[in-house]
Amino acid sequence: QVQLVESGGGLVQAGGSLRLSCAASGRTITNYAMGWFRQAPGKERDFVAAISWSGGSTSYADSVKGRFTISRDSAKNTVYLQMNNLQLEDTAVYYCARRASIVANPANPGNYDYWGQGTQVTVSS
C-alpha cells in the first residue's frame, strides 16, 4: 500500500504562487511516474502535470504550461507542484497520484492507482 498526502494548498491572490507537496509513505514511489490532477466543484477531475520516474520527462496541461512546474525528490519520496501566476480558474482541489504503468497515457486519471486526499487551492481576485 502507498499513502499519498498532499499539502501546501491555501488561499492566494491572483498572480501569486503556491508550492504543493505530495509525500508518499508505506512504499516508495521512486520507480513510478507521478501526476497532479485538479477538480473544481461540479467539474471532472482534470490533468495538470506529470513526471516520469526519473524526473527527466514532464508533461503539462496547456492551461498551466509556463506557469506550473512539477518536480520530484526521490530521497524524500516527495513530488512537488510549483504554481506561479495563479489565476481564478486555477481554483480547485489538487490531487497527486501514482501512475500504474509507464506506458499509460499520463493525462488519463484511470491510469493512476493510488491517490491522495487532495488539498484545496483557492485563488481570489
Side-chain angles (χ1 to χ4, degrees), residues 63-80:
S63 59
V64 306
K65 277 182 182 176
R67 300 189 297 123
F68 291 11
T69 302
I70 188 171
S71 62
R72 66 190 303 161
D73 185 334
S74 295
K76 295 183 178 180
N77 225 19
T78 300
V79 179
Y80 304 97

Side-chain angles (χ1 to χ4, degrees), residues 18-81:
L18 284 173
R19 187 195 195 200
L20 306 184
S21 299
C22 171
S25 62
R27 298 185 71 176
T28 181
I29 58 171
T30 301
N31 298 323
Y32 290 87
M34 299 291 294
W36 284 96
F37 290 77
R38 66 186 181 186
Q39 188 167 20
K43 296 187 176 181
E44 294 185 349
R45 190 166 296 189
D46 291 332
F47 171 73
V48 175
I51 189 166
S52 64
W53 69 270
S54 67
S57 177
T58 58
S59 59
Y60 296 92
D62 287 343
S63 59
V64 306
K65 277 182 182 176
R67 300 189 297 123
F68 291 11
T69 302
I70 188 171
S71 62
R72 66 190 303 161
D73 185 334
S74 295
K76 295 183 178 180
N77 225 19
T78 300
V79 179
Y80 304 97
L81 185 68

Side-chain angles (χ1 to χ4, degrees), residues 31-34 97-104 109-114:
N31 298 323
Y32 290 87
M34 299 291 294
R98 189 187 81 167
R99 185 140 47 105
S101 169
I102 61 172
V103 299
N111 291 329
Y112 292 76
D113 54 1
Y114 288 97

